[in-house]
């Protein structure tokens, strides 16, 4: 009787095991083309979508960019064209023996032309389809976006992962260019401000590093680099910010985690000190003056001195430190002011003042939102900074050999 | 031996009968109207549900220990009791079918894109009917386990999402007009009215006097859960983007990314949610089965479960020709249907019991 029961249970279990195969959606790993990066270009009215697909056999072998004994590239790049992004995607079946798999897609690189023509279709594709992840990093490039995907990198075998890591590191340690995920972009553009910033990735150098032969040398003919900051208004790109302006905007937006500034020496403006900002908080205080919106930007930062080339003598002297702090404050105010002027020039509320105005003055907001662009253009901004130098490093005076030799104080 | 459940299990069943499918639509329904103040709506909804709780308590106080329909038959007569059973049967059939279809649509859109919807719907129905066939004790135990796991996973997600929260998304507070806030609280009221399942579970409760308490706790738990889910979604995505997303809760949970090794952990909560959807479907199928047994004077039989399963699956598959029609139905009609059905039928039962009680007292006084 027990044997019959066991047999019956075994049959039932075996039957239910059949249900665990994924039914019609069953797919084997070796049928997938794992995409690590995607790019979007425009060709007339058509969309050109490029895919950087990982070659698992190359990735799994050994260490280094080429793997142990492997002479083939770790990724392959190919493009498809269509009247829509998804139509272009579907045309990959005409040339790829494997189904594109986007779960490991790390970045989407959009060409400047595509961004200037509008990002709505891209946002729609990523928020509508379950196979496209809304957590990909979005970057903009000046020319052809496919070129970025073709470029190999040192250290990181998969360029898509590498670009994401660069973006991530930059945001963490420099805070100049934001790391923007696709859903964050959608959130920013759908906010009251309707503005967003995206980092630029570009190829520096003249020859492309799209062959493994280049890795036989210690220097590469070209590299992938992060550059300026693209400004998006509503869903269209409207211009660029320089890195300095980008850092200034980051200070206003309170998105600076760590960064490096180079204030002019208090005694000699032609020379610089370097201050590593370890933490920064920005308080925005909106007010209405003569019926117009004004915003007081109060930046409070702390950091440490990491280099000094000034004529200052004693870094233990509070007056010297106070002078350096003042120089750092001046530098931050200069950066923030240049950032503010740049976004105002581009008529894009990338600093989020509309959201601020909505939160503080909800009654007036109903009126302002009808013509926010003109309200934004007339906002008076006052920027102030308060820097505390918590650490001057391991040397209590600037290292100048001549002075050390003579034992001068 | 007649199966019995504890008050805690009854509370878990009630909470599970309300929350899982609401989780998919509530943030979207509420935030579309109440914007950043949406998290307040479930609190308001809880207040609106208090009269229904009063009715439940009042009915449960008059309960005499017999199976619900037999008790109602004793008070109102066979025809009226059959009428009530048919009305409730129709409600639980439509409820079961909409749960199965909503669940199938989600699985179909998110994970099993090429698998025919009918296969997914049938598999879900088989599991729901199987749980139901095991009896109310199994439903109670499974519900309690699922509730604990869901709370645990929700807690984990709350913690992991910490870096994604932007508290500015809640500002300005109280911007929504009172009328809009009232409108936004209607959908949660609709879902919360399903706490009336406690009256069908009452004959199986070890302590029937705790039915009202179980309903109160079930409603409170569900309301807190709604508040939390709406608040999390708002804090992560903000009010504007949510309006255009079909499953904003899962989108919000999908944004978790800690280093290179913790990402897309939304599947963890989805796993618990899937389990709770199965239990919810089983509770509705159980109620439908109870009503059918009484209406057509049937005895429990395996063949009946198969028939009920096929009926529910067919209703789920063929009532709506396309997914958008299901969403339209759930967003608009179902909310009104839930409120009308649960408030009206149980209010009438309560009034009927009041009259029946007075009549009996008067007859007693005469004799």
């Amino acid at each position: 009787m027990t044997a019959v029961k066991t047999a019956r249970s075994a049959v039932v279990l075996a039957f239910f095991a059949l249900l665990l195969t994924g039914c019609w959606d069953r797919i084997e790993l070796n049928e997938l083309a794992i995409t690590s990066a995607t790019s979007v270009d425009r060709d007339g009215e058509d969309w050109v979508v490029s895919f950087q697909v990982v070659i698992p056999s190359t990735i799994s072998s050994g260490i280094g960019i080429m793997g142990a004994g492997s002479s083939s590239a770790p990724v392959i790049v190919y493009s498809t064209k269509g009247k829509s992004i998804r139509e272009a995607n579907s045309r990959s079946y005409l040339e790829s023996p494997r189904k594109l798999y986007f779960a490991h897609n790390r970045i989407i690189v959009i060409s400047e032309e595509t961004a200037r023509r509008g990002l709505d279709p891209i946002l729609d594709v990523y928020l509508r389809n379950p196979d496209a992840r809304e957590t990909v990093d979005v970057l903009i490039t000046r020319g052809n976006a496919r070129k970025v995907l073709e470029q190999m990198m040192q250290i990181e075998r998969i360029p898509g992962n590498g670009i994401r890591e660069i973006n991530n590191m930059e945001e963490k340690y420099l805070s100049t260019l934001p790391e923007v995920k696709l859903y964050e972009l959608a959130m920013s553009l759908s906010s009251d401000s309707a503005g967003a910033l995206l980092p630029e990735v570009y190829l520096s150098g003249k020859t492309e590093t799209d062959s493994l032969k280049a890795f036989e040398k210690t220097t590469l003919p070209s590299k992938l680099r992060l550059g300026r900051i693209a400004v998006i208004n509503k869903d269209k790109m409207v211009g660029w910010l320089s890195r300095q302006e980008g850092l200034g905007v980051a200070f206003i937006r309170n998105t600076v985690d760590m960064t490096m500034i180079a204030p002019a020496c208090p005694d000699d403006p032609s020379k610089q000190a370097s201050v590593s900002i370890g933490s920064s908080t920005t308080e925005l205080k909106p007010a209405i003056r003569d019926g117009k919106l004004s915003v007081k930007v109060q930046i409070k930062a702390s950091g440490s001195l990491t280099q000094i080339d000034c004529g200052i003598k004693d870094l233990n002297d509070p007056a010297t430190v106070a002078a350096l702090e003042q120089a750092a404050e001046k530098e931050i105010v200069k950066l923030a002011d240049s950032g503010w002027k740049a976004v105002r020039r581009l008529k894009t509320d990338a600093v989020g003042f509309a959201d601020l105005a909505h939160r503080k003055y909800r009654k007036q907001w109903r009126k302002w939102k009808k013509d926010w662009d003109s309200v934004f253009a007339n906002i008076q901004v006052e920027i102030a900074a308060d820097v505390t130098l918590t650490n001057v490093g391991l040397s209590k005076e600037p290292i100048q050999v001549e002075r050390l030799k003579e034992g001068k104080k | 031996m007649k199966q019995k459940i504890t008050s805690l299990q009854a509370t878990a069943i009630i909470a599970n009968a309300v929350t899982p499918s609401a989780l998919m639509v509530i943030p979207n329904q509420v935030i579309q109207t109440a914007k950043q103040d949406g998290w307040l709506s479930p609190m308001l909804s809880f207040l609106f549900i208090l009269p229904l709780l009063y009715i439940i308590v009042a009915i449960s106080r008059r309960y005499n220990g017999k199976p619900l329909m037999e008790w109602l038959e004793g008070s109102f007569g066979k025809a009226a009791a059959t009428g009530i059973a048919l009305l409730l049967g129709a409600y639980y059939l439509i409820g079961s079918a909409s749960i199965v279809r909503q669940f199938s649509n989600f699985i179909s859109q998110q994970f099993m894109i090429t698998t025919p919807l009918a296969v997914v719907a049938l598999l879900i129905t088989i599991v729901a009917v199987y749980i139901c066939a095991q009896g109310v004790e199994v439903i109670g135990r499974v519900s309690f386990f699922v509730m604990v796991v869901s709370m645990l996973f929700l807690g984990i997600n709350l913690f992991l999402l910490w870096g994604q929260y932007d508290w500015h998304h809640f500002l300005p507070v109280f911007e929504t007009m009172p009328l809009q806030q009232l409108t936004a609280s209607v959908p949660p009221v609709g879902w919360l009215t399903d706490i009336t399942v406690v009256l069908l579970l009452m004959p199986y409760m070890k302590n029937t006097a705790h039915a009202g308490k179980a309903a109160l706790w079930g409603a409170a738990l569900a309301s807190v859960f709604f508040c939390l889910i709406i608040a999390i979604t708002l804090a992560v995505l903000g009010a504007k983007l949510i309006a255009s997303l079909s499953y904003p809760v899962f989108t919000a949970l999908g944004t978790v990314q800690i280093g290179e090794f913790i990402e897309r952990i939304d599947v963890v909560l989805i796993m618990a949610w899937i389990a709770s959807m199965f239990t919810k479907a089983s509770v509705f199928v159980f109620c439908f089965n109870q009503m059918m047994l009484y209406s057509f004077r049937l005895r429990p039989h395996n063949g009946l479960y198969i028939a009920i399963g096929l009926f529910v699956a067919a209703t789920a598959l063929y009532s709506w020709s396309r997914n958008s029609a299901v969403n339209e139905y759930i967003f608009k009609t179902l909310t009104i249907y839930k409120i009308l059905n649960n408030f009206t039928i149980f209010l009438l039962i309560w009034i009927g019991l009041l009259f029946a009680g007075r009549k009996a007292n008067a007859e007693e006084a005469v004799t």
Side-chain angles (χ1 to χ4, degrees):
Chain A
M1 197 63 190
T2 324
V4 175
K5 250 186 172 178
T6 314
R8 198 185 292 164
S9 307
V11 169
V12 170
L13 276 175
F15 172 74
F16 280 107
L18 291 175
L19 303 177
L20 299 173
T21 56
C23 299
W24 280 251
D25 292 276
R26 176 210 61 82
I27 194 154
E28 303 294 333
L29 261 178
N30 56 12
E31 294 169 32
L32 295 173
I34 297 167
T35 312
S36 57
T38 312
S39 73
V40 185
D41 287 290
R42 296 301 295 266
D43 180 8
E45 287 308 305
D46 287 341
W47 293 82
V48 181
V49 186
S50 306
F51 312 98
Q52 187 184 78
V53 173
V54 174
I55 302 171
S57 56
T58 318
I59 293 296
S60 60
S61 59
I63 51 169
I65 188 73
M66 291 185 283
S70 170
S71 58
S72 53
V75 292
I76 186 168
V77 177
Y78 63 92
S79 303
T80 52
K81 198 196 272 190
K83 287 190 174 14
S84 68
I85 297 170
R86 289 305 279 193
E87 193 197 33
N89 272 14
S90 69
R91 290 195 175 164
S92 67
Y93 293 113
L94 297 173
E95 55 183 289
S96 170
R98 294 185 177 200
K99 186 178 187 283
L100 285 170
Y101 183 67
F102 293 99
H104 296 280
N105 190 26
R106 296 298 187 190
I107 57 161
I108 172 169
V109 182
I110 301 166
S111 71
E112 184 178 344
E113 190 204 342
T114 310
R116 286 193 186 271
R117 289 170 71 170
L119 295 171
D120 279 347
I122 298 171
L123 296 176
D124 185 80
V125 163
Y126 273 82
L127 293 173
R128 185 173 305 284
N129 297 288
D131 59 339
R133 297 216 159 162
E134 62 279 1
T135 47
V136 290
D137 281 6
V138 188
L139 298 107
I140 301 280
T141 194
R142 263 176 290 181
N144 188 338
R146 182 191 155 116
K147 295 277 178 211
V148 173
L149 264 54
E150 286 171 354
Q151 180 73 14
M152 301 285 232
M153 287 179 87
Q154 336 84 306
I155 306 175
E156 269 290 343
R157 277 196 200 179
I158 304 170
N161 281 359
I163 296 170
R164 185 194 179 108
E165 281 309 306
I166 294 174
N167 199 185
N168 186 270
M169 286 287 163
E170 193 284 333
E171 196 200 34
K172 198 170 166 186
Y173 294 109
L174 284 182
S175 306
T176 309
L177 288 91
E179 183 186 6
V180 184
K181 297 188 188 308
L182 191 120
Y183 76 91
E184 290 170 336
L185 175 66
M187 277 164 62
S188 300
L189 297 180
S190 60
S191 71
D192 292 322
S193 306
L197 301 174
L198 291 175
E200 180 199 19
V201 61
Y202 71 102
L203 270 178
S204 72
K206 285 178 183 168
T207 325
E208 289 161 34
T209 310
D210 54 1
S211 154
L212 290 175
K213 281 201 169 171
F215 290 97
E216 290 168 359
K217 295 179 183 171
T218 53
T219 53
L220 299 176
S222 62
K223 273 181 195 164
L224 282 172
R225 280 204 173 123
L226 294 181
R228 298 165 297 170
I229 298 113
V231 181
I232 316 290
N233 189 359
K234 311 251 167 19
D235 81 313
K236 291 182 176 65
M237 184 182 154
V238 290
W240 295 100
L241 296 183
S242 68
R243 280 200 284 268
Q244 298 285 303
E245 291 164 344
L247 182 58
V249 171
F251 270 116
I252 299 175
R253 284 158 51 111
N254 194 22
T255 54
V256 174
D257 287 329
M258 288 168 78
T259 193
M260 187 68 78
I261 56 168
C265 292
D267 58 331
D268 181 0
S270 65
K271 291 184 175 176
Q272 262 95 30
S274 292
V275 175
S276 168
I277 299 291
S279 76
S280 168
T281 317
T282 305
E283 204 183 339
L284 299 175
K285 287 181 184 162
I288 297 177
R289 284 185 203 153
D290 306 324
K292 282 183 184 174
L293 183 67
S294 70
V295 180
K296 196 171 177 183
V297 181
Q298 179 65 51
I299 302 160
K300 201 169 166 54
S302 67
S304 52
L305 190 70
T306 53
Q307 190 187 333
I308 186 159
D309 191 23
C310 310
I312 289 165
K313 287 175 187 164
D314 185 5
L315 287 169
N316 282 347
D317 180 4
T320 311
V321 175
L324 279 171
E325 284 174 343
Q326 249 182 11
E329 285 162 6
K330 213 171 148 188
E331 180 66 16
I332 289 177
V333 170
K334 196 174 92 183
L335 286 167
D337 190 53
S338 71
W340 162 242
K341 282 180 179 150
V343 291
R344 195 158 67 171
R345 187 185 69 236
L346 293 167
K347 294 175 183 158
T348 302
D349 185 3
V351 282
F353 283 171
D355 303 278
L356 187 74
H358 183 186
R359 279 176 220 139
K360 184 76 193 274
Y361 302 108
R362 49 186 180 184
K363 272 187 190 163
Q364 284 90 332
W365 172 249
R366 284 180 210 136
K367 203 170 78 183
W368 286 342
K369 72 176 177 185
K370 289 173 193 156
D371 189 19
W372 176 249
D373 288 347
S374 67
V375 177
F376 181 71
N378 290 311
I379 294 176
Q380 293 296 314
V381 174
E382 262 179 62
I383 302 166
D386 178 15
V387 175
T388 309
L389 272 184
T390 53
N391 188 2
V392 291
L394 302 177
S395 169
K396 65 187 175 89
E397 60 180 23
I399 303 293
Q400 285 159 356
V401 176
E402 195 62 29
R403 209 155 59 184
L404 291 176
K405 200 168 76 180
E406 290 173 15
K408 279 183 187 172
K409 269 278 167 192
Chain B
M1 194 183 82
K2 198 178 170 187
Q3 296 196 354
K4 287 282 177 194
I5 54 169
T6 63
S7 306
L8 201 61
Q9 285 170 338
T11 306
I13 293 175
I14 295 161
N16 257 329
V18 175
T19 50
S21 43
L23 186 91
M24 292 207 284
V25 288
I26 282 285
N28 201 311
Q29 278 181 312
V30 170
I31 293 167
Q32 261 186 30
T33 318
K35 307 282 183 303
Q36 69 273 18
D37 292 327
W39 58 278
L40 291 164
S41 300
M43 295 186 199
L44 212 57
S45 310
F46 183 72
L47 294 180
F48 290 136
I49 214 72
L50 288 177
L52 187 63
L53 272 166
Y54 179 80
I55 293 170
I56 290 170
V57 172
I59 294 175
S60 68
R61 276 194 185 148
R62 288 161 194 279
Y63 180 63
N64 63 3
K66 284 184 183 174
L68 181 78
M69 295 319 295
E70 280 179 34
W71 172 48
L72 294 180
E73 188 183 310
S75 301
F76 306 137
K78 210 176 235 177
T82 308
I84 291 170
L86 283 171
L87 280 173
L88 286 177
Y91 174 74
Y92 287 114
L93 168 68
I94 293 166
S96 309
S98 64
I99 294 162
V100 170
R101 181 59 186 266
Q102 200 186 0
F103 191 12
S104 313
N105 282 356
F106 176 78
I107 299 287
S108 208
Q109 284 168 358
Q110 295 281 326
F111 311 112
M112 299 171 84
I113 297 149
T114 49
T115 303
L117 191 70
V119 175
V120 181
L122 269 172
L123 288 174
I124 291 167
T125 314
I126 289 170
V127 177
V129 170
Y130 177 75
I131 299 173
C132 163
Q134 297 307 303
V136 74
E137 258 183 40
V138 170
I139 296 176
R141 284 199 295 264
V142 172
S143 294
F144 182 71
F145 177 72
V146 166
M147 189 177 77
V148 172
V149 172
S150 300
M151 282 175 168
L152 180 75
F153 286 178
L154 182 69
I156 294 171
N157 275 282
L158 264 170
F159 172 71
L160 290 174
L161 275 166
W162 197 259
Q164 254 87 316
Y165 297 147
D166 183 349
W167 306 111
H168 290 122
H169 288 163
F170 293 101
L171 300 174
V173 186
F174 305 126
E175 193 188 29
T176 314
M177 304 298 239
L179 186 66
Q180 277 176 302
Q181 192 71 63
L182 277 175
T183 315
S185 65
V186 172
V189 170
W191 294 102
L192 283 170
T193 56
D194 278 329
I195 56 169
T196 49
V197 291
V198 74
L199 293 172
L200 278 82
L201 296 172
M202 211 162 48
Y204 303 96
M205 284 179 70
K206 280 179 185 160
N207 191 343
T208 52
H210 287 172
K213 221 183 247 180
L216 175 71
W217 275 105
L221 271 174
S223 302
V224 170
F225 193 74
F226 288 164
C227 275
L228 265 176
I229 285 295
I230 292 171
I232 292 172
T233 320
L234 262 174
V236 176
L237 298 174
K240 298 220 166 125
L241 187 60
I242 291 172
S244 61
L245 298 174
S246 297
Y247 305 112
V249 177
F250 300 124
T251 307
L253 296 174
T255 61
V256 171
Q257 194 164 31
I258 301 168
E260 282 287 302
F261 53 97
I262 298 180
E263 56 180 316
R264 300 302 300 204
I265 47 99
D266 47 326
V267 285
V268 176
L269 190 74
I270 289 177
M271 196 171 74
W273 173 80
I274 284 175
S276 62
M277 278 301 271
F278 279 127
T279 49
K280 172 162 184 163
S282 71
V283 173
F284 272 68
V285 170
F286 173 81
C287 295
F288 174 52
N289 184 42
Q290 294 289 306
M291 294 303 113
M292 289 301 100
L293 288 175
Y294 178 80
S295 302
F296 300 105
R297 309 294 190 269
L298 300 168
R299 283 168 187 274
H301 187 269
N302 284 344
L304 184 65
Y305 289 120
I306 295 170
I308 280 177
L310 287 173
F311 194 22
V312 168
T315 312
L317 285 167
Y318 300 110
S319 300
W320 301 278
S321 55
R322 51 183 76 89
N323 292 353
S324 55
V326 186
N327 294 340
E328 176 78 2
Y329 176 77
I330 290 168
F331 266 57
K332 292 176 181 168
T333 319
L334 190 63
T335 303
I336 298 163
Y337 182 35
K338 276 179 184 291
I339 293 172
L340 281 178
N341 182 81
N342 289 320
F343 264 102
T344 317
I345 292 185
F346 291 100
L347 177 71
L348 289 175
I349 290 174
W350 176 50
I351 293 169
L353 286 171
L354 275 178
F355 278 112
R358 277 190 194 164
K359 203 175 153 190
N361 286 344
E363 278 171 6
E364 218 169 81
V366 169
T367 53

